[in-house]
Amino acid sequence: MDLSTRYAHAEVEARWYAHWEASGYFSSVPDDREPFVIVIPPPNVTGVLHMGHMLNNTIQDILIRKARLDGKNACWVPGTDHASIATEAKVVRWLRDEKKIRKADLTREQFLEYAYQWKDKYGGIILQQLRRLGASCDWSRTTFTMDKGYYEDCIRVFVDLYRKGKLYRGLRMVNWDPEARTVLSNEEVIYSAETSQMYHIRYFLEDNEEEGIVIATQRPETIFADVAVAVNPNDPRYRSWIGKRVRVPLINRPIPVIADEYVDVAFGTGALKITPAHDPNDYEIGQRHQLPIIDILNDDGTLNERCAYAPLVGLDRFEARRRMQKILETSGHLVKIESYETNIGRSERTNAVVEPKLSLQWFVRMSELAPPALKAVLDREIRFYPENFQNLYRTWMENLRDWCISRQLWWGQRIPAWYLKAEPRNEETHIFVAMTAEEALQQAREATGNKHLTLDDLRQDEDVLDTWASSWLWPISVFDGFRQPEGEIRYYYPTSVLVTGWDIIFFWVARMIMAGYEFRGEKPFRAVYFTGMVRDKQRRKMSKSLGNSPDALKLLDDYGADGVRYGLMSSAAAGNDILFDEKLCENGRNFCNKIWNALRLVKGWKVAETSEEEADLLRNRLAVRWMRAKFSQVLQSLEEDFASFRLSEALLALYSFIWDDFCSWYLEIIKPSFDKPIDRDTYKVTIQLFGELMVALHPFMPFITEEVWHRLSERAPGQDCIVQRYPKATTFDEDVVRRVEAAKALITRIREVRNEYQVKPREALPLGVQDSPSARTLFGLPGMKELVCKLAVLSKVEWHTQEPPNIKSFLSGTEKYFLDIQQQIDYHKERLKLQQELDYQRGFLKSIEAKLANERFVASAPAAVVENERKKRADALARIQILEETLAKLPT
RNA sequence: GGGCGCAUAGCUCAGUUGGUUCAGAGCACCUGCCUUACAAGCAGGGGGUCGUAGGUUCGAAUCCUUCUGCGCCCACCA
């Protein structure tokens, strides 16, 4: 067999992925098997593969492949999300830079045409990249949240919620992004500490030029929107002021001084200007005191004429702020300016400072949707892994505000609400919510009694839905559950597990759960596996803006998909952030190479009917017995790991089983000496076992396992690793496992001695065993002597009833061994080591005896634990006896 | 301000119900090997009082409390 010593991944990956896909292994249709279903967290259509996606999708692929190997009907639905704000921003930039077109110069229809052009050209690259990773998605089911059917579902849901009274249009204080000119959800606002200026400004009494009250504000330009000054009713400094009137600086509009408990006596000056249109708290205070609302800001953040101060009208809020300093100084209202550290909210998308703003928006009534979604998680109807994310979920669900689902964008599902053109904008009294304009017209005719109304008399809402108001329908809509509620969704829903980062637990996870119960009366998934964030070595979240994310495709090139998958999985316990280190992918690549070379070894053997040496046969049979038993033991723990989503543990267990037990021990035991053949039985079992190992590892490292699986032996068409049955644990011979483990310990001890005394690797030495029942038990297994001889490079094993003189002796387990190393032994050193060991064993014995002397321990500990302590005591006693004898006989 | 979580080897982290050799893995480090599968490798080794102080228990890395040092989420004071 002519195989390179290095495993070459690139060609293998491309070949097998194409083969799997062409064989239809990825696609799923309902049948009588148990389904195992995952819907992908749809990445932004604009996205390119990054570390987070790779982690996420590796986990999903592992689960899907495992389910497929378990004989389930595995269905993994891929797709992308239209990501309204992010995509629209990209398209706007693209138009500006490439096409030299400004969005403002386009009609809605023109813009959308360009947007679809852009999407067709640049969108969905990520799905292509996922194939490189090995993701075994059912590509025929690929869904995009703006697909016709999906789009319609969003509209249908909007209408449905409106009719049920769970959706309303209302005036609310929202987070406004003046740059994108759209409302933002709370989750899209990022707060961070920044230094800003605190302006102390004096408001003079209405009828007094001398006396005034000083307020503190960071936004002096908003004073034109002030409608009151509030003080705490319990603040003695200001008690006499309550009820008086003061004048807004510069424009001299009189406003009252009111009392409200909200005002913090200790903060600022203890007097607070009230600006209901531009601050959420002020808005609430304004409501309490029935104060008017003056909105002085335009949508783009410039001041409008309502501020009543001509010099600043039309200026940007920050420019206005800069000028206010001079103006207030000159007019004598400015008391002082202080530097001040505060949290400033910025738009996640545009980084513009967010402006609180009153606005007419559409809201979903969360009080209606949240309770069943909360209950499902608390009752563990939906299980979280790790479980403690329940806390996060709970606190959020118990403190919900209504969900603002309208966005002032064009890229998205347009809100299906129509108004009468005759009514002024934002003051509409008639609202018609319907699937189509025609239906809306029908409603309008009925509502107004005017049969002559036409479509021309109607105006559709300009806004689109929040992206999450489409992605929350994902698990239902991808199976066409709205239009065909009795169709295949009945087979696939609820899905099996959702794999996603914990950062979108609110955006997406919670809302999907709500949608599941609201629209299907059933949870959308049985379990949620939360992945951590992938961070760099400085613990920073990996992001494009920081440029600290390694190029995902380059990683795949350098280490192979299997290597990268290994790297990601080997340090990613559910929910824990992982500090990504390329070194881990290197481990994965090395592991591939190890497997590859094991294949080269095995395939290089000559096979004979049987071996000439009886010793070889005995040894090989023992090796096979041990390997079978150990594999069963490992499979048992693997099943437990999979059941509780402990995937890293499962991978690690396989890694050490393959590398250590299979390669370092098993193959070394059965490896024939140079140019000698191996007996057919052992060979066949080994090929079989090797194949099973590949199947067991396949979910984690699909490509190399498929390749090796096929190279191990001729496979009939369709006999691919990906569609085998996962090996199952059987009852196994624990005794063999135990005794071989003891033998391994003995071999290690012998190698240690050989190393210490620099015995040549090939030089075979005779081993002496001091006769004892435990030694007889160990060597009683057929093939055990031959096994130890081979791996420890021994010429023979001799039994001693008496200690031979002047020979190196050592302990392993409770047995004593002698090794004739043909060298002068350093007795001084030996004595020291023996004494050290003896001291340790005596201390150990003492602690065990103390334990056993404790009546309460013996009475309350489980019998097995007590029994084990007794065994430990016996072993310790045996060791101490041997050590004492050896010491006594040691030449001085 | 409210809440959640973390602290285990030089580094990154496992450690499930308190009890089998539980004090682990990988990396790094040290020693010796290019031994006919693999130097992307082989054989061997050193290294931790499980953050601190108490408590519960026959028994604590594991449960409770304190303190210290980190991290995160939510809310947000003009």
Side-chain angles (χ1 to χ4, degrees), chain A residues 395-412:
Chain A
T395 49
W396 193 72
M397 292 295 276
E398 286 174 345
N399 298 291
L400 279 181
R401 287 189 179 186
D402 283 352
W403 175 19
C404 177
I405 60 165
S406 41
R407 293 289 183 277
Q408 288 63 51
L409 300 167
W410 284 342
W411 179 243

PDB file of all heavy atoms in Angstrom, chain A residues 395-412:
ATOM      1  N   THR A 395     -35.547  35.667  34.644  1.00  0.00           N
ATOM      2  CA  THR A 395     -35.568  37.079  35.025  1.00  0.00           C
ATOM      3  C   THR A 395     -36.001  37.933  33.847  1.00  0.00           C
ATOM      4  O   THR A 395     -36.706  38.918  34.013  1.00  0.00           O
ATOM      5  CB  THR A 395     -34.198  37.573  35.523  1.00  0.00           C
ATOM      6  OG1 THR A 395     -33.213  37.173  34.577  1.00  0.00           O
ATOM      7  CG2 THR A 395     -33.861  37.001  36.864  1.00  0.00           C
ATOM      8  N   TRP A 396     -35.608  37.538  32.675  1.00  0.00           N
ATOM      9  CA  TRP A 396     -35.997  38.325  31.515  1.00  0.00           C
ATOM     10  C   TRP A 396     -37.497  38.203  31.258  1.00  0.00           C
ATOM     11  O   TRP A 396     -38.188  39.183  31.032  1.00  0.00           O
ATOM     12  CB  TRP A 396     -35.207  37.878  30.287  1.00  0.00           C
ATOM     13  CG  TRP A 396     -35.328  38.848  29.162  1.00  0.00           C
ATOM     14  CD1 TRP A 396     -34.752  40.079  29.103  1.00  0.00           C
ATOM     15  CD2 TRP A 396     -36.072  38.681  27.965  1.00  0.00           C
ATOM     16  NE1 TRP A 396     -35.086  40.687  27.923  1.00  0.00           N
ATOM     17  CE2 TRP A 396     -35.898  39.857  27.193  1.00  0.00           C
ATOM     18  CE3 TRP A 396     -36.865  37.655  27.444  1.00  0.00           C
ATOM     19  CZ2 TRP A 396     -36.484  40.031  25.946  1.00  0.00           C
ATOM     20  CZ3 TRP A 396     -37.445  37.839  26.198  1.00  0.00           C
ATOM     21  CH2 TRP A 396     -37.251  39.013  25.467  1.00  0.00           C
ATOM     22  N   MET A 397     -37.989  36.969  31.319  1.00  0.00           N
ATOM     23  CA  MET A 397     -39.390  36.728  31.009  1.00  0.00           C
ATOM     24  C   MET A 397     -40.325  37.358  32.030  1.00  0.00           C
ATOM     25  O   MET A 397     -41.487  37.629  31.751  1.00  0.00           O
ATOM     26  CB  MET A 397     -39.658  35.225  30.930  1.00  0.00           C
ATOM     27  CG  MET A 397     -38.992  34.550  29.757  1.00  0.00           C
ATOM     28  SD  MET A 397     -39.634  35.102  28.175  1.00  0.00           S
ATOM     29  CE  MET A 397     -41.070  34.057  28.018  1.00  0.00           C
ATOM     30  N   GLU A 398     -39.804  37.543  33.238  1.00  0.00           N
ATOM     31  CA  GLU A 398     -40.663  38.133  34.264  1.00  0.00           C
ATOM     32  C   GLU A 398     -40.645  39.660  34.218  1.00  0.00           C
ATOM     33  O   GLU A 398     -41.383  40.304  34.933  1.00  0.00           O
ATOM     34  CB  GLU A 398     -40.237  37.621  35.647  1.00  0.00           C
ATOM     35  CG  GLU A 398     -40.663  36.169  35.870  1.00  0.00           C
ATOM     36  CD  GLU A 398     -40.135  35.605  37.159  1.00  0.00           C
ATOM     37  OE1 GLU A 398     -39.211  36.204  37.748  1.00  0.00           O
ATOM     38  OE2 GLU A 398     -40.642  34.536  37.568  1.00  0.00           O
ATOM     39  N   ASN A 399     -39.773  40.213  33.425  1.00  0.00           N
ATOM     40  CA  ASN A 399     -39.688  41.675  33.363  1.00  0.00           C
ATOM     41  C   ASN A 399     -39.817  42.189  31.942  1.00  0.00           C
ATOM     42  O   ASN A 399     -39.059  43.034  31.496  1.00  0.00           O
ATOM     43  CB  ASN A 399     -38.350  42.134  33.956  1.00  0.00           C
ATOM     44  CG  ASN A 399     -38.243  41.755  35.413  1.00  0.00           C
ATOM     45  OD1 ASN A 399     -38.943  42.301  36.244  1.00  0.00           O
ATOM     46  ND2 ASN A 399     -37.398  40.791  35.711  1.00  0.00           N
ATOM     47  N   LEU A 400     -40.758  41.623  31.240  1.00  0.00           N
ATOM     48  CA  LEU A 400     -40.899  41.970  29.834  1.00  0.00           C
ATOM     49  C   LEU A 400     -41.653  43.263  29.626  1.00  0.00           C
ATOM     50  O   LEU A 400     -42.611  43.559  30.321  1.00  0.00           O
ATOM     51  CB  LEU A 400     -41.677  40.860  29.129  1.00  0.00           C
ATOM     52  CG  LEU A 400     -40.898  39.627  28.738  1.00  0.00           C
ATOM     53  CD1 LEU A 400     -41.824  38.658  28.047  1.00  0.00           C
ATOM     54  CD2 LEU A 400     -39.769  40.020  27.833  1.00  0.00           C
ATOM     55  N   ARG A 401     -41.195  44.012  28.635  1.00  0.00           N
ATOM     56  CA  ARG A 401     -41.998  45.118  28.149  1.00  0.00           C
ATOM     57  C   ARG A 401     -42.578  44.669  26.825  1.00  0.00           C
ATOM     58  O   ARG A 401     -42.074  43.750  26.194  1.00  0.00           O
ATOM     59  CB  ARG A 401     -41.124  46.335  27.907  1.00  0.00           C
ATOM     60  CG  ARG A 401     -40.666  46.977  29.207  1.00  0.00           C
ATOM     61  CD  ARG A 401     -40.015  48.285  28.878  1.00  0.00           C
ATOM     62  NE  ARG A 401     -39.588  48.957  30.092  1.00  0.00           N
ATOM     63  CZ  ARG A 401     -39.089  50.172  30.096  1.00  0.00           C
ATOM     64  NH1 ARG A 401     -38.959  50.820  28.941  1.00  0.00           N
ATOM     65  NH2 ARG A 401     -38.720  50.740  31.211  1.00  0.00           N
ATOM     66  N   ASP A 402     -43.598  45.358  26.389  1.00  0.00           N
ATOM     67  CA  ASP A 402     -44.167  44.997  25.097  1.00  0.00           C
ATOM     68  C   ASP A 402     -43.094  45.125  24.015  1.00  0.00           C
ATOM     69  O   ASP A 402     -42.197  45.956  24.106  1.00  0.00           O
ATOM     70  CB  ASP A 402     -45.375  45.877  24.791  1.00  0.00           C
ATOM     71  CG  ASP A 402     -46.590  45.421  25.588  1.00  0.00           C
ATOM     72  OD1 ASP A 402     -46.488  44.354  26.231  1.00  0.00           O
ATOM     73  OD2 ASP A 402     -47.611  46.113  25.581  1.00  0.00           O
ATOM     74  N   TRP A 403     -43.221  44.269  23.041  1.00  0.00           N
ATOM     75  CA  TRP A 403     -42.187  44.130  22.019  1.00  0.00           C
ATOM     76  C   TRP A 403     -42.524  45.017  20.822  1.00  0.00           C
ATOM     77  O   TRP A 403     -43.545  44.829  20.173  1.00  0.00           O
ATOM     78  CB  TRP A 403     -42.127  42.648  21.622  1.00  0.00           C
ATOM     79  CG  TRP A 403     -41.219  42.296  20.497  1.00  0.00           C
ATOM     80  CD1 TRP A 403     -40.184  43.008  19.996  1.00  0.00           C
ATOM     81  CD2 TRP A 403     -41.284  41.083  19.728  1.00  0.00           C
ATOM     82  NE1 TRP A 403     -39.588  42.333  18.963  1.00  0.00           N
ATOM     83  CE2 TRP A 403     -40.239  41.142  18.782  1.00  0.00           C
ATOM     84  CE3 TRP A 403     -42.114  39.954  19.754  1.00  0.00           C
ATOM     85  CZ2 TRP A 403     -40.026  40.123  17.871  1.00  0.00           C
ATOM     86  CZ3 TRP A 403     -41.890  38.949  18.845  1.00  0.00           C
ATOM     87  CH2 TRP A 403     -40.847  39.029  17.923  1.00  0.00           C
ATOM     88  N   CYS A 404     -41.650  45.966  20.574  1.00  0.00           N
ATOM     89  CA  CYS A 404     -41.848  46.856  19.435  1.00  0.00           C
ATOM     90  C   CYS A 404     -41.361  46.143  18.177  1.00  0.00           C
ATOM     91  O   CYS A 404     -40.175  45.835  18.058  1.00  0.00           O
ATOM     92  CB  CYS A 404     -41.068  48.150  19.651  1.00  0.00           C
ATOM     93  SG  CYS A 404     -41.179  49.259  18.248  1.00  0.00           S
ATOM     94  N   ILE A 405     -42.296  45.858  17.269  1.00  0.00           N
ATOM     95  CA  ILE A 405     -41.912  45.040  16.121  1.00  0.00           C
ATOM     96  C   ILE A 405     -41.877  45.808  14.808  1.00  0.00           C
ATOM     97  O   ILE A 405     -41.753  45.221  13.741  1.00  0.00           O
ATOM     98  CB  ILE A 405     -42.840  43.818  15.949  1.00  0.00           C
ATOM     99  CG1 ILE A 405     -44.283  44.260  15.733  1.00  0.00           C
ATOM    100  CG2 ILE A 405     -42.735  42.890  17.130  1.00  0.00           C
ATOM    101  CD1 ILE A 405     -45.151  43.134  15.209  1.00  0.00           C
ATOM    102  N   SER A 406     -42.008  47.136  14.869  1.00  0.00           N
ATOM    103  CA  SER A 406     -41.908  47.890  13.608  1.00  0.00           C
ATOM    104  C   SER A 406     -40.535  48.530  13.488  1.00  0.00           C
ATOM    105  O   SER A 406     -39.923  48.909  14.484  1.00  0.00           O
ATOM    106  CB  SER A 406     -43.009  48.949  13.554  1.00  0.00           C
ATOM    107  OG  SER A 406     -43.179  49.570  14.812  1.00  0.00           O
ATOM    108  N   ARG A 407     -40.077  48.594  12.257  1.00  0.00           N
ATOM    109  CA  ARG A 407     -38.783  49.221  11.987  1.00  0.00           C
ATOM    110  C   ARG A 407     -38.924  50.130  10.781  1.00  0.00           C
ATOM    111  O   ARG A 407     -39.587  49.778   9.809  1.00  0.00           O
ATOM    112  CB  ARG A 407     -37.716  48.156  11.680  1.00  0.00           C
ATOM    113  CG  ARG A 407     -37.367  47.266  12.861  1.00  0.00           C
ATOM    114  CD  ARG A 407     -36.581  48.031  13.930  1.00  0.00           C
ATOM    115  NE  ARG A 407     -36.176  47.165  15.032  1.00  0.00           N
ATOM    116  CZ  ARG A 407     -36.956  46.846  16.060  1.00  0.00           C
ATOM    117  NH1 ARG A 407     -38.184  47.298  16.118  1.00  0.00           N
ATOM    118  NH2 ARG A 407     -36.514  46.076  17.024  1.00  0.00           N
ATOM    119  N   GLN A 408     -38.243  51.268  10.826  1.00  0.00           N
ATOM    120  CA  GLN A 408     -38.384  52.238   9.744  1.00  0.00           C
ATOM    121  C   GLN A 408     -37.372  51.928   8.649  1.00  0.00           C
ATOM    122  O   GLN A 408     -36.410  52.653   8.429  1.00  0.00           O
ATOM    123  CB  GLN A 408     -38.204  53.656  10.289  1.00  0.00           C
ATOM    124  CG  GLN A 408     -39.368  54.129  11.133  1.00  0.00           C
ATOM    125  CD  GLN A 408     -39.570  53.300  12.397  1.00  0.00           C
ATOM    126  OE1 GLN A 408     -38.630  53.098  13.149  1.00  0.00           O
ATOM    127  NE2 GLN A 408     -40.768  52.801  12.620  1.00  0.00           N
ATOM    128  N   LEU A 409     -37.609  50.803   8.003  1.00  0.00           N
ATOM    129  CA  LEU A 409     -36.694  50.360   6.948  1.00  0.00           C
ATOM    130  C   LEU A 409     -37.529  49.891   5.773  1.00  0.00           C
ATOM    131  O   LEU A 409     -38.751  49.827   5.845  1.00  0.00           O
ATOM    132  CB  LEU A 409     -35.861  49.175   7.450  1.00  0.00           C
ATOM    133  CG  LEU A 409     -34.988  49.398   8.679  1.00  0.00           C
ATOM    134  CD1 LEU A 409     -34.501  48.062   9.199  1.00  0.00           C
ATOM    135  CD2 LEU A 409     -33.802  50.284   8.346  1.00  0.00           C
ATOM    136  N   TRP A 410     -36.846  49.540   4.708  1.00  0.00           N
ATOM    137  CA  TRP A 410     -37.549  48.998   3.545  1.00  0.00           C
ATOM    138  C   TRP A 410     -37.299  47.504   3.375  1.00  0.00           C
ATOM    139  O   TRP A 410     -38.085  46.781   2.796  1.00  0.00           O
ATOM    140  CB  TRP A 410     -37.098  49.740   2.283  1.00  0.00           C
ATOM    141  CG  TRP A 410     -37.717  51.101   2.176  1.00  0.00           C
ATOM    142  CD1 TRP A 410     -38.816  51.547   2.854  1.00  0.00           C
ATOM    143  CD2 TRP A 410     -37.295  52.178   1.346  1.00  0.00           C
ATOM    144  NE1 TRP A 410     -39.109  52.823   2.497  1.00  0.00           N
ATOM    145  CE2 TRP A 410     -38.190  53.253   1.563  1.00  0.00           C
ATOM    146  CE3 TRP A 410     -36.253  52.358   0.431  1.00  0.00           C
ATOM    147  CZ2 TRP A 410     -38.072  54.472   0.907  1.00  0.00           C
ATOM    148  CZ3 TRP A 410     -36.139  53.568  -0.236  1.00  0.00           C
ATOM    149  CH2 TRP A 410     -37.045  54.618   0.012  1.00  0.00           C
ATOM    150  N   TRP A 411     -36.131  47.054   3.841  1.00  0.00           N
ATOM    151  CA  TRP A 411     -35.737  45.660   3.640  1.00  0.00           C
ATOM    152  C   TRP A 411     -36.359  44.803   4.754  1.00  0.00           C
ATOM    153  O   TRP A 411     -35.841  44.766   5.869  1.00  0.00           O
ATOM    154  CB  TRP A 411     -34.210  45.555   3.649  1.00  0.00           C
ATOM    155  CG  TRP A 411     -33.645  44.173   3.483  1.00  0.00           C
ATOM    156  CD1 TRP A 411     -32.897  43.497   4.403  1.00  0.00           C
ATOM    157  CD2 TRP A 411     -33.740  43.318   2.346  1.00  0.00           C
ATOM    158  NE1 TRP A 411     -32.522  42.286   3.910  1.00  0.00           N
ATOM    159  CE2 TRP A 411     -33.034  42.149   2.641  1.00  0.00           C
ATOM    160  CE3 TRP A 411     -34.379  43.429   1.096  1.00  0.00           C
ATOM    161  CZ2 TRP A 411     -32.923  41.087   1.748  1.00  0.00           C
ATOM    162  CZ3 TRP A 411     -34.262  42.369   0.207  1.00  0.00           C
ATOM    163  CH2 TRP A 411     -33.549  41.213   0.536  1.00  0.00           C
ATOM    164  N   GLY A 412     -37.456  44.164   4.431  1.00  0.00           N
ATOM    165  CA  GLY A 412     -38.132  43.363   5.430  1.00  0.00           C
ATOM    166  C   GLY A 412     -39.573  43.154   5.024  1.00  0.00           C
ATOM    167  O   GLY A 412     -39.998  43.587   3.947  1.00  0.00           O
TER     168      GLY A 412
END
